[in-house]
Each structure stands twice: as structure tokens, then as C-alpha cells.
Amino acid sequence: MITASQLRAARALLGIDQKTLAAMAGVSLPTIQRMEASDGNVRGIIDTLTKVAAALDKAGIELIGDYARSDPGGRGVRLKNPTSLSGRPH
């Protein structure tokens, strides 16, 4: 599962807008807008959620779910490789 907050945070880490994410995932802009306006877990068609998650993964985003290994714990997002965007550590 992915939350609306994770989705917004992932976009922020990548420095992209909703339109860009929609294009990357092959979904419509209103779909991304609805997903980000959700309360808690994003609800939607599994295929659409899979496309968005795959696009984020391809862009270097790691979605951290409940109970996933994360030193501070909790949900979140992080770059899988901090040097993947600009060639320098963040």
C-alpha cells in the first residue's frame, strides 16, 4: 500500500509535478490528483497503483511500508541511491 503523503513526498524528492508523474506512470493527471487527495492509503485500481509504484521505483524511489526495515521506523520514502539524481550525495 502507498499513502497519499508518501506519493507527495516521493514527487518532492524527485522534484517533479503531478503531470510529470502521470506521464511517467502512463496514467491521467486527474488520477494522480485523486490519489494525492486521498486520506491515508491510496485507493484505486490495482493496475493503476502498480504503474505509479513502478514509475517511482524506476525513478529511484523506495517506498517504505509498515514494518519495513527503517532505522527510525514508520512509513516514508527514500531514494534508493542518493546519487542517482544529480551524481552527488544528498
Side-chain angles (χ1 to χ4, degrees), residues 3-90:
T3 67
S5 296
Q6 284 178 298
L7 193 52
R8 289 188 300 269
R11 276 194 317 98
L13 279 175
L14 294 172
I16 61 173
D17 60 15
Q18 291 176 328
K19 184 177 180 180
T20 302
L21 178 57
M24 289 169 55
V27 301
S28 70
L29 175 57
T31 296
I32 297 296
Q33 291 169 332
R34 277 192 303 276
M35 292 172 85
E36 289 193 3
S38 300
D39 287 330
N41 288 334
V42 171
R43 297 192 190 332
I45 299 169
I46 298 294
D47 184 54
T48 301
L49 294 171
T50 302
K51 286 179 180 180
V52 172
L56 292 173
D57 181 68
K58 186 176 179 181
I61 293 293
E62 180 178 356
L63 298 169
I64 305 165
D66 288 336
Y67 310 109
R69 174 135 172 80
S70 177
D71 292 330
R75 285 187 173 265
V77 295
R78 63 179 163 219
L79 288 171
K80 289 190 283 185
N81 180 357
T83 61
S84 64
L85 292 180
S86 62
R88 67 183 196 291
H90 293 240

